[in-house]
Structures are given as C-alpha cells and as structure tokens.
Amino acid sequence: MPTLILVRHGRSTANTAAVLAGRTPGVALDERGAAQAAALPGRLAGLPIATAVSSPLQRCRQTLEPLLAARPELTLHTEDGINECDYGDWSGRKLAELADEPLMQVVQQHPSAAAFPGGESMRAMQHRAAEAVRGWNARVERDFGSDAMYLMCSHGDIIKSLVAEALGLHLDLFQRISVEPCSVTVIRYTRLRPFLVRLGDTGDLGGLAPRENGTEAGGGGDATVGGGAGAP
C-alpha cells in the first residue's frame, strides 16, 4: 500500500495570535509560514510524489502553492475528511481564554470524551480523517501502484490523530504527540500494519527516497530487529 506524507500547514496568523482558528475563514499563513512553505519543495526534492491532497482551508492550500509551482505535473485534490476539527463555538477564541473552560481539561486528558459545543467530537474527527486516508490509500494504489507516495496537507489535531490511529494508540494518548507547523510526518501503509517513518520532521527528507534495490525506508511488512541501518 502507499506511503502517506502528511504536512501540517505552515505557521498561520492564528498561530501567532494564539487563537483557535478552527474552520474560521480567512486565516492565512504569516510571514514565517510563507517562508516555511517556500522551503517545502526543496525538502521534498527527490521524492516521487504521485499526487497531492489538501484540507479545504486557505492555510493548507497556501502551504502547497510553492510545491505545486515547482511540480506542475502534480494534481491537487481537496478532501473534506482532513479538514480541521470543527471546534464549534470555540472557533476564533483566544487559547488563554479557553484554558479556563472545564472542557479544556477533558480535551487534554480524556479527548475521546471531548465534544466541542456546536461542533464535533474528537472521536468523530479521528474517524473521518482515518476513513479519508483509507479511501485515498486505495485510490492511489489503484492509480499509481502499491509503492506510490502521496502527500496530504492538513492540521495539527488531524495529523496527531492519524498517527495515534496508525500506531494503535488510544485517542486519549494523542495529546502526547507533537507536530510543528510545516513539519512532515510519514506513514508507510502495508497490508498488515502501518509503519511510522517520520514524526514532525522539520529537516531534510532525502532518506525517504526509494533505495536502489527498490525498497523504501519503513517499507516491507516486517520490522527490522534491532532497528535497522537507516538511510544510506
């Protein structure tokens, strides 16, 4: 099955304002986020990305603009299943203000029980994101082959929930995972289980390129006993 490259959007104006953006329209990348996006094509150079998928929100689509300009052969698809969590009435509010809400402790300690007023539950968020990935895995494998790589640009809580799902972690543990703006997380899916190949990587990604013998980092169906030799 394919390898999924998950990119969190670059730093946004809501990030710097310490606001929970959610699905609030008009939230764009800030200056640093734009620079992070501009560096993305270089970081992904040499990786044979078959297609690109984005959350419908502006900050994700902006993050992919430099990559699409550098690779005009890439087609961009929009996927509602990897849209930001619907924070409902919390959307657009200051994080410092939300810290005093009783629900925030549930979000941090018992997220599987958290449902945002006027929005969705974190369980529903994880389920629809995981279903979207399964659907795209099948589509990419059908169109490009089982060894294909494809990219999705999404949001922090979405990516963290997908990592937890891939690792078989309960959603209540997903807050232990950290993904920075414009970081890259890579999951290699196989018939029997996924492999987490990168988590929140903000550096060089050349080690993900296919090897000369046709294998990929994190590929195959078995884990390497002892940890393996890593990238050449």
Side-chain angles (χ1 to χ4, degrees), residues 126-202:
Q126 183 187 45
H127 176 74
R128 48 104 170 158
E131 286 299 299
V133 167
R134 290 187 183 96
W136 276 99
N137 282 347
R139 180 173 175 176
V140 169
E141 183 171 14
R142 180 196 68 207
D143 294 345
F144 301 101
S146 59
D147 294 328
M149 287 183 166
Y150 73 105
L151 181 147
M152 280 185 167
C153 187
S154 188
H155 308 270
D157 279 350
I158 296 291
I159 294 171
K160 288 161 56 178
S161 73
L162 288 170
V163 169
E165 199 266 348
L167 292 176
L169 295 177
H170 197 283
L171 184 60
D172 286 345
L173 301 178
F174 101 123
Q175 297 290 25
R176 302 182 184 192
I177 299 166
S178 176
V179 289
E180 296 183 9
C182 221
S183 63
V184 173
T185 295
V186 181
I187 302 171
R188 167 69 178 169
Y189 289 89
T190 74
R191 185 173 63 87
L192 297 179
R193 56 184 168 177
F195 287 84
L196 180 63
V197 183
R198 291 286 192 282
L199 175 61
D201 196 323
T202 57

Side-chain angles (χ1 to χ4, degrees), residues 4-204:
L4 171 59
I5 301 170
L6 286 162
V7 178
R8 185 185 170 196
H9 62 79
R11 196 176 75 174
S12 73
T13 53
N15 294 144
T16 48
V19 167
L20 185 64
R23 299 180 180 181
T24 304
V27 176
L29 300 183
D30 68 4
E31 184 176 353
R32 181 175 177 183
Q36 290 170 333
L40 194 59
R43 294 173 60 205
L44 296 172
L47 301 186
I49 299 170
T51 194
V53 185
S54 177
S55 157
L57 296 186
Q58 177 181 349
R59 53 194 182 273
C60 288
R61 299 180 71 87
Q62 280 185 305
T63 298
L64 293 186
E65 284 175 359
L67 179 65
L68 296 171
R71 299 197 188 192
E73 76 280 3
L74 276 182
T75 300
L76 179 65
H77 306 270
T78 300
E79 172 56 62
D80 287 335
I82 60 168
N83 199 352
E84 177 65 284
C85 184
D86 185 356
Y87 298 115
D89 297 343
W90 279 26
S91 300
R93 294 177 61 187
K94 288 278 189 179
L95 291 170
E97 174 187 327
L98 292 171
D100 295 329
E101 294 279 355
L103 179 60
M104 181 59 85
Q105 188 173 7
V106 181
V107 170
Q108 293 295 325
Q109 303 296 331
H110 190 20
S112 66
F116 296 98
E120 70 180 333
S121 70
M122 302 200 89
R123 292 190 315 278
M125 173 199 75
Q126 183 187 45
H127 176 74
R128 48 104 170 158
E131 286 299 299
V133 167
R134 290 187 183 96
W136 276 99
N137 282 347
R139 180 173 175 176
V140 169
E141 183 171 14
R142 180 196 68 207
D143 294 345
F144 301 101
S146 59
D147 294 328
M149 287 183 166
Y150 73 105
L151 181 147
M152 280 185 167
C153 187
S154 188
H155 308 270
D157 279 350
I158 296 291
I159 294 171
K160 288 161 56 178
S161 73
L162 288 170
V163 169
E165 199 266 348
L167 292 176
L169 295 177
H170 197 283
L171 184 60
D172 286 345
L173 301 178
F174 101 123
Q175 297 290 25
R176 302 182 184 192
I177 299 166
S178 176
V179 289
E180 296 183 9
C182 221
S183 63
V184 173
T185 295
V186 181
I187 302 171
R188 167 69 178 169
Y189 289 89
T190 74
R191 185 173 63 87
L192 297 179
R193 56 184 168 177
F195 287 84
L196 180 63
V197 183
R198 291 286 192 282
L199 175 61
D201 196 323
T202 57
D204 178 71

Side-chain angles (χ1 to χ4, degrees), residues 46 48 147 206-217 230-232:
D147 294 328
L208 294 173
R211 310 284 175 81
E212 289 184 2
N213 62 4
T215 63
E216 300 174 22

